[in-house]
Amino acid sequence: MARERKVLDALDTAKTQWYHFTAVVIAGMGFFTDAYDLFSISLVTKLLGRIYYFNPSSNSPGTLPPNVSAAVNGVAFCGTLAGQLFFGWLGDKMGRKKVYGMTLMLMVICCLASGLSFGSSAKGVMATLCFFRFWLGFGIGGDYPLSATIMSEYANKRTRGAFIAAVFAMQGFGNLTGGIIAIIVSAALKSAFDAPAYRDDRAGSTAPQADYAWRIVLMFGAIPALMTYYWRMKMPETARYTALVAKNDKQAAADMARVLKNLEFADEQEKAAAEEAAAETARREQYGLFSKEFARRHGRHLLGTTVCWFVLDIAFYSQNLFQKDIYTAVEWLPKADTMSALEEMYKISRAQTLVALCGTIPGYWFTLGGFFFMTAFMLGLAVPYHHWTTKGNHVGFVVMYAFTFFFANFGPNSTTFIVPAEIFPARLRSTCHGISSAAGKMGAIVGSFGFLYAAQSTDPSKTDAGYPPGIGVRNSLFFLAGCNVIGFFFTFLVPESKGKSLEELSGENGDVETEQPAAANSYRQTVPDGGSISDLA
């Protein structure tokens, strides 16, 4: 135990070095790919409807039927939920490194396969696409607990939160890059194969080459992931897993000395005391995930992280996947029949990229606010909703809407990812992070399937083809604001991790675990362990 403590103390006090930044890039590119793959589908669903569900007798362009749209948008989240639970558990059983490469290769293969979805009918193409997107989501799910756990266990105490936040912030760049690639692809094909608006030529408004557009966009996500595969395989196992779970402190010290320079380990002269302390620690650490002892020490923490992530993702993924429908509802985007298929894809991509650039990206990198401001801005959209839909007020709506993304990423979207990687014991850390993130994806499933129907107009004559009347966009925004209020109150169950080592937080340092009130905890105000983004420099 004494030797273990020396290894862990050396990690906690190590200076920020080049390898820390390398680890951020290696882990972050997985999240870049995760976001690209999960959100790029929303850029091409309108195009898929035009290509595969064209009805020459209809006055409106083809759209995906409700059940198909729900499946295409939501099936990846089902895979992600399963992957988070499975790979989170596997990461604690086999080690972080052994599982880390599996998830990335699964993502690369299924990303390419998604773009190669073929079939003799529209139903066949959509079924193949959904199959591969489920397994793509399964691989993405593994990246959540593993990336967070690996980065938290590599980092020193001072900059831990900032480094984990930096990994998660790559999700914003993945989201942004998806929009940029869609803009480039749609603009290039539109320039080469121009087509009239739907109302001028129903069949001719969708050029045959438009079928390449969505495939290229989906397949591009494999490139950044593939580029980092080699470096993932070169990463050593984290010292905390090797020392605390595998109980091989010599190997832990050797692994860290390979990648981190000038680590100082104190001399070991206290063998008898070390053996006694190790026996005591082993006795204390017998409790498992479903034990009363875990419930006493960490039950409320796990409840807090799961509920916060669940309600956050209902709002976050509803906004991300269906923002194109909201933009159409407030008439920021032109009516579909006034555009060709590629023009519509271009304008949707441009709108979402603008919001990502102005709201999502800055929010990830500030990581300081929370549920309170998300609630305030959603109510600011919902209460005077009819004002925002009046001609001339659309710019104000877009600015307010961008602020909801800003504050989602400004606080809860990043800290829901960071905190579960810090507050649980090493042998259960990946599993608990997987459970917390799986709760988030359950929220994403609720958001992606529920919002699809809920946001439909209350007037049956104004609903999309095949959809029953819903509660409307305005009432849907009220509901999402309510989710944020719930998240705000559940953050009080999560302890403050500022300035503490992972072992202090989890009780693995041999001391009786103490908790501080979460009056200023990280979901609402700060990067968890005292690190700020400025600490990266």
Side-chain angles (χ1 to χ4, degrees), residues 395-425:
V395 173
F397 178 90
V398 172
V399 171
M400 292 282 286
Y401 196 63
F403 268 113
T404 66
F405 282 100
F406 178 80
F407 284 109
N409 298 299
F410 194 55
N413 193 37
S414 294
T415 49
T416 47
F417 177 76
I418 297 167
V419 173
E422 297 185 307
I423 61 177
F424 299 108

Side-chain angles (χ1 to χ4, degrees), residues 389-517:
T389 56
T390 305
K391 190 172 182 179
N393 296 326
H394 303 150
V395 173
F397 178 90
V398 172
V399 171
M400 292 282 286
Y401 196 63
F403 268 113
T404 66
F405 282 100
F406 178 80
F407 284 109
N409 298 299
F410 194 55
N413 193 37
S414 294
T415 49
T416 47
F417 177 76
I418 297 167
V419 173
E422 297 185 307
I423 61 177
F424 299 108
R427 68 191 181 284
L428 299 172
R429 185 170 292 136
S430 182
T431 300
C432 290
H433 196 287
I435 292 170
S436 301
S437 54
K441 284 302 167 285
M442 181 63 72
I445 292 168
V446 171
S448 61
F449 286 96
F451 196 83
L452 193 65
Y453 291 88
Q456 294 294 318
S457 173
T458 54
D459 184 349
S461 66
K462 295 181 179 179
T463 60
D464 293 336
Y467 288 90
I471 62 175
V473 172
R474 181 172 185 260
N475 290 327
S476 296
L477 289 170
F478 276 123
F479 173 77
L480 297 182
C483 290
N484 295 330
V485 172
I486 293 172
F488 175 81
F489 286 108
F490 269 87
T491 62
F492 287 91
L493 296 180
V494 182
E496 178 58 75
S497 55
K498 181 179 179 179
K500 293 183 177 181
S501 70
L502 295 179
E503 290 67 46
E504 287 176 302
L505 287 165
S506 63
E508 293 171 293
N509 62 351
D511 299 327
V512 178
E513 186 178 11
T514 59
E515 296 181 8
Q516 294 181 9

Side-chain angles (χ1 to χ4, degrees), residues 184-222:
I184 294 171
V185 170
S186 58
L189 290 175
K190 181 178 178 297
S191 176
F193 310 101
D194 199 14
Y198 181 84
R199 64 185 179 188
D200 297 328
D201 184 350
R202 294 178 180 179
S205 66
T206 305
Q209 293 79 7
D211 192 49
Y212 296 127
W214 68 271
R215 298 178 186 277
I216 294 171
V217 169
L218 295 186
M219 293 173 71
F220 184 86

Side-chain angles (χ1 to χ4, degrees), residues 165 168 308 312 316 359-360 362-374 403-419 491 521-528:
F168 194 63
C308 286
L312 168 71
F316 184 72
T360 305
Y364 274 111
W365 287 95
F366 278 89
T367 319
L368 295 170
F371 282 112
F372 176 80
F373 288 106
M374 286 180 68
F403 268 113
T404 66
F405 282 100
F406 178 80
F407 284 109
N409 298 299
F410 194 55
N413 193 37
S414 294
T415 49
T416 47
F417 177 76
I418 297 167
V419 173
T491 62
N521 86 50
S522 53
Y523 286 89
R524 298 185 302 282
Q525 292 188 3
T526 183
V527 174

Side-chain angles (χ1 to χ4, degrees), residues 36-352:
Y36 184 99
D37 293 335
L38 288 176
F39 296 129
S40 60
I41 193 68
S42 68
L43 302 169
V44 299
T45 48
K46 294 280 190 182
L47 180 63
L48 289 173
R50 285 189 181 240
I51 294 172
Y52 294 104
Y53 292 90
F54 169 66
N55 181 358
S57 63
S58 173
N59 292 327
S60 302
T63 58
L64 296 177
N67 60 331
V68 176
S69 181
V72 168
N73 280 293
V75 71
F77 297 131
C78 298
T80 304
L81 187 154
Q84 287 165 331
L85 294 173
F86 176 73
F87 285 114
W89 169 80
L90 200 63
D92 282 335
K93 294 299 179 184
M94 293 180 59
R96 324 317 188 191
K97 179 189 174 181
K98 290 180 181 178
V99 183
Y100 210 28
M102 299 181 200
T103 63
L104 197 68
M105 282 312 298
L106 186 59
M107 287 159 58
V108 169
I109 292 169
C110 292
C111 197
L112 294 172
S114 295
L116 296 174
S117 298
F118 291 100
S120 57
S121 64
K123 187 178 290 187
V125 174
M126 293 301 110
T128 308
L129 177 61
C130 288
F131 174 81
F132 286 118
R133 282 194 63 79
F134 174 86
W135 290 107
L136 171 64
F138 192 71
I140 289 172
D143 221 51
Y144 272 76
L146 292 171
S147 289
T149 301
I150 285 172
M151 200 65 243
S152 73
E153 293 181 345
Y154 267 131
N156 58 47
K157 185 161 60 174
R158 186 176 66 88
T159 59
R160 185 179 65 237
F163 276 123
I164 303 173
V167 169
F168 194 63
M170 293 300 290
Q171 189 181 71
F173 287 105
N175 197 346
L176 177 65
T177 302
I180 292 172
I181 296 299
I183 288 173
I184 294 171
V185 170
S186 58
L189 290 175
K190 181 178 178 297
S191 176
F193 310 101
D194 199 14
Y198 181 84
R199 64 185 179 188
D200 297 328
D201 184 350
R202 294 178 180 179
S205 66
T206 305
Q209 293 79 7
D211 192 49
Y212 296 127
W214 68 271
R215 298 178 186 277
I216 294 171
V217 169
L218 295 186
M219 293 173 71
F220 184 86
I223 296 175
L226 197 58
M227 288 169 59
T228 57
Y229 180 74
Y230 172 77
W231 299 107
R232 279 201 182 191
M233 295 298 93
K234 295 283 286 182
M235 294 178 78
E237 182 58 82
T238 69
R240 283 187 162 89
Y241 181 87
T242 305
L244 293 172
V245 183
K247 302 297 181 185
N248 189 343
D249 48 281
K250 286 185 179 179
Q251 185 62 46
D255 286 344
M256 288 301 97
R258 250 190 331 129
V259 294
L260 296 176
K261 307 303 180 187
N262 303 318
L263 283 183
E264 296 180 2
F265 303 100
D267 293 333
E268 305 155 26
Q269 303 291 334
E270 328 131 346
K271 261 194 168 176
E275 289 171 4
E276 184 181 344
E280 174 63 18
T281 300
R283 183 189 67 77
R284 280 198 316 272
E285 292 184 355
Q286 290 305 309
Y287 68 87
L289 181 64
F290 300 105
S291 66
K292 290 182 179 178
E293 183 66 13
F294 178 86
R296 184 185 71 80
R297 289 175 176 246
H298 299 291
R300 64 195 293 264
H301 303 160
L302 189 59
L303 178 64
T305 58
T306 52
V307 173
C308 286
W309 212 331
F310 174 76
V311 294
L312 168 71
D313 277 6
I314 292 177
F316 184 72
Y317 284 93
S318 296
Q319 287 180 278
N320 267 290
L321 289 176
F322 303 111
Q323 53 183 300
K324 61 185 182 299
D325 302 303
I326 294 175
Y327 299 153
T328 301
V330 300
E331 300 181 5
W332 189 34
L333 292 176
K335 292 186 180 298
D337 63 355
T338 65
M339 299 180 284
S340 67
L342 289 170
E343 183 183 3
E344 183 179 38
M345 178 181 170
Y346 173 81
K347 290 188 174 179
I348 289 172
S349 303
R350 186 180 63 181
Q352 294 192 191

